[in-house]
Amino acid sequence: NAEYMGAAEWDDSDSCQMCQGPFFWSFKQMYTEKTMGKRQHHCRKCGRALCANCCNFQSVMPKWGFELPQRLCKECHDTITLEDKKPLASRHNVKSPITLMAYDDTRKLLVAASDDNTIKFFDLKVPPSI
């Protein structure tokens, strides 16, 4: 049973928090270092402000709210385990039109039936950690 951790707060910075390269709005640092500014990205696990070179890994992180691959720094990517990658959401074929739907308020359960004889159950209980 995976526990939702929530996404990290994003840091503010005028330069990459790993390589110290300036972001494109840091004119003084770009002029002083005689270099072009970089686009800012954020590691979705630790929230650090990073350039593309320092934030070039990807992984799913369902516990942090990301079921699709997201940007990560190397340090955070190396800490992601197989357990961390287990999906918390289930995917359903949305092309199959629902013909019947019922909701049981006491059990917080939604039941949907489709033309293709598929019956889907949706548990709508709100987890206590949210």
Side-chain angles (χ1 to χ4, degrees):
N1 190 9
E3 186 177 318
Y4 177 73
M5 311 269 295
E9 292 285 323
W10 285 3
D11 291 347
D12 287 328
S13 181
D14 289 333
S15 60
C16 176
Q17 293 179 306
M18 286 183 78
C19 72
Q20 307 311 316
F23 293 131
F24 66 87
W25 59 83
S26 185
F27 299 115
K28 184 177 180 182
Q29 186 180 354
M30 287 189 301
Y31 180 78
T32 303
E33 296 177 11
K34 304 291 188 255
T35 186
M36 292 293 295
K38 303 174 180 189
R39 269 190 73 202
Q40 182 185 49
H41 300 281
H42 287 89
C43 173
R44 298 308 195 270
K45 187 173 179 199
C46 68
R48 287 187 292 177
L50 305 166
C51 68
N53 288 338
C54 294
C55 193
N56 61 351
F57 292 86
Q58 289 194 345
S59 180
V60 295
M61 301 184 309
K63 285 184 183 181
W64 289 266
F66 302 108
E67 294 282 342
L68 300 174
Q70 298 292 315
R71 278 187 183 272
L72 295 169
C73 64
K74 181 175 178 14
E75 288 81 5
C76 289
H77 183 266
D78 291 347
T79 66
I80 301 288
T81 65
L82 288 176
E83 182 69 25
D84 293 335
K85 294 180 180 184
K86 285 187 180 173
L88 298 180
S90 56
R91 306 214 189 290
H92 300 282
N93 180 4
V94 294
K95 293 181 180 177
S96 178
I98 294 174
T99 55
L100 178 67
M101 186 181 298
Y103 178 67
D104 181 346
D105 192 42
T106 57
R107 293 188 288 175
K108 304 292 186 217
L109 190 67
L110 179 69
V111 182
S114 303
D115 283 336
D116 62 357
N117 295 325
T118 302
I119 298 174
K120 299 172 186 166
F121 296 90
F122 301 92
D123 183 0
L124 301 179
K125 292 181 204 91
V126 176
S129 63
I130 293 181

